[in-house]
Each structure stands twice: as structure tokens, then as C-alpha cells.
Amino acid sequence: MAKSKSKDRTLAIDIGGSGIKAMVLDRKGRPLGDRVRVQTPQPATPEALLRAIADLAEQAGACDQVSVGFPGVVRHGIVSTAVNLHPNWVEFDLASTLSESLGQPVRVANDADIQGFGAISGQGVELVITLGTGFGTALFVDGKLVPNLEGGHHPFRKKQTYEQQLGRAALEKVGTKKWNKRLKKAICKLQHLFNADRIYLGGGEAKKVDCELPKNVSIVPNINGLLGGIALWNL
Ligand code: BGC
């Protein structure tokens, strides 16, 4: 990613499996307006999402540049995986297509990575876990991102991945109590792997966390998925 200074108005967009959120930020990443949201269209094809984003961008107001958090692996603006959206996303050039449709420069990163930028202190090993439709992970070392970690699709327990055990579908199936028990186990296992100084729990379902957390684990607001977007222009 080329170095550049942030401009006056950055439109931050957070694409999720159930909702797409947007908000305009100032140079320092502070909100300049209200958050706007629409439901993620189903089927969540590139065309349907791009239409929804164009609507949201209009509601959010004028901007000079755009940051997008995408729920999958993204390299140089091109999508590699999108397990909770539509198969047509694979190989889709989201940055260029959106830039053409919005008429502004666009940078795209993984949604958990952006949540992380909004949450971390920049010191030591920091792990961010997002709880929503999927199970997102982001790892930072002294503020430097290890991009596209994708821990959610790694084996966790009972021959299932973290996402299969802790994604929204699992939460709805097993209920909050059991999900919290699983979450504790997941935190323990991930801590064993990364020995993180801090672990942050974000995402839309973090509000359902109701268990005693280790001292180095905290819950962060889901708005970080938008606020962290400014970091893509300050890298
Ligand atoms: C995706 C990740 C994403 C996470 C949260 C997972 O299914 O593979 O890239 O960060 O969901 O949206």
C-alpha cells in the first residue's frame, strides 16, 4: 500500500454478513456524521452489495476517499475469499470497481483487521477477535498488522472450526450460555497460541459476552469497525 496522508473526509464502510454500515470520518478518524446502516442484500452478490453501498454513500454525505472493511481475505483491493457472502466475490476487484462507482480513491482491508486498528494500543502482541456472522481475527505486533490472519477457519474443537462453533449460526443454535462457555475455551486456546499482551473482543455479538474474562481481555465497541478505517490512509 502506498504511503499517503489522510484527506479531510474519509467514508468508512464496514461490510458484514447481516448489515453494511457507513460513516464519514475526519482526518483524525473522528465521526463527522451519524452512522448509517442497511441490511446486507441476499443473495450477497457483488452487484447487489455495490448498489447498497452506493445508496449508503449518498446517505452518509460527501467524502474525499473511502475505506472498506470486507469479511474475507483481501489483497491489493482484490477479494480472495468471502465465505459468508456470495461465491462471485472470489477474484472480484472491489477497490477498483467501487472507486469507479463512487468517484473516489478506495482502500479495502479485512473487516477484523480494521476493527483491530480501531481498538489496539500499538504496544506488544495484540489479538482482536470479532464476533458476528463470522469469527474474525486480527493480530498486531507493536501496532503492525499481520494481515488476513483468518483464525476463524482453523480447527477449534469437536472437529469444528472457531467460526462453526462461535459464529452467529452457532450462537442461535446453542444459545448464549453454551456459546459463552465455548468462547472462554476459544480465548484460552488462542492465548496459548499467541501469548498476546491484550485480547479485544469486538463485533456485533460481543454484547452477548457474559462470562468472566481473563484480565488481559476486554470488550470493544463495534463502531471500531468503522473508526479503524482511517488507518488504511495512514499506513
Ligand atoms: C472471514 C474473515 C472475517 C470474519 C468476520 C470470516 O468468515 O473469513 O475474513 O474477518 O468472518 O467477518
Side-chain angles (χ1 to χ4, degrees), residues 94-125:
L94 177 54
S96 305
T97 316
L98 198 56
S99 179
E100 235 166 77
S101 94
L102 299 180
Q104 300 293 352
V106 174
R107 290 184 177 176
V108 187
N110 175 263
D111 57 352
D113 291 352
I114 293 194
Q115 279 265 353
F117 280 123
I120 57 163
S121 72
Q123 277 165 11
V125 176

Side-chain angles (χ1 to χ4, degrees), residues 39-194:
Q39 284 208 328
T40 306
Q42 298 300 339
T45 58
E47 296 70 27
L49 258 78
L50 287 167
R51 271 196 301 274
I53 291 173
D55 276 1
L56 268 187
E58 224 177 279
Q59 285 179 48
C63 70
D64 313 300
Q65 58 192 14
V66 183
S67 292
V68 184
F70 184 85
V73 175
V74 185
R75 284 193 202 89
H76 312 294
I78 300 172
V79 172
S80 294
T81 68
V83 296
N84 291 313
L85 297 176
H86 189 276
N88 287 0
W89 278 102
V90 176
E91 304 295 329
F92 190 84
D93 189 340
L94 177 54
S96 305
T97 316
L98 198 56
S99 179
E100 235 166 77
S101 94
L102 299 180
Q104 300 293 352
V106 174
R107 290 184 177 176
V108 187
N110 175 263
D111 57 352
D113 291 352
I114 293 194
Q115 279 265 353
F117 280 123
I120 57 163
S121 72
Q123 277 165 11
V125 176
E126 296 182 277
L127 179 69
V128 180
I129 296 171
T130 67
L131 302 163
T133 306
F135 184 97
T137 51
L139 184 67
F140 296 82
V141 183
D142 290 334
K144 189 117 182 78
L145 171 71
V146 179
N148 294 314
L149 181 67
E150 291 294 309
H153 302 297
H154 282 252
F156 170 36
R157 61 192 285 271
K158 307 221 162 169
K159 300 208 168 114
Q160 288 198 316
T161 63
Y162 288 91
E163 181 156 311
Q164 285 168 330
Q165 286 260 307
L166 285 157
R168 185 171 292 121
L171 170 62
E172 280 165 6
K173 188 165 164 219
V174 303
T176 317
K177 201 167 165 200
K178 205 159 172 189
W179 180 83
N180 268 280
K181 269 179 130 174
R182 288 180 179 181
L183 180 64
K184 260 191 113 159
K185 287 185 187 150
I187 292 169
C188 199
K189 192 161 169 177
L190 290 168
Q191 178 61 357
H192 203 197
L193 178 64
F194 293 111

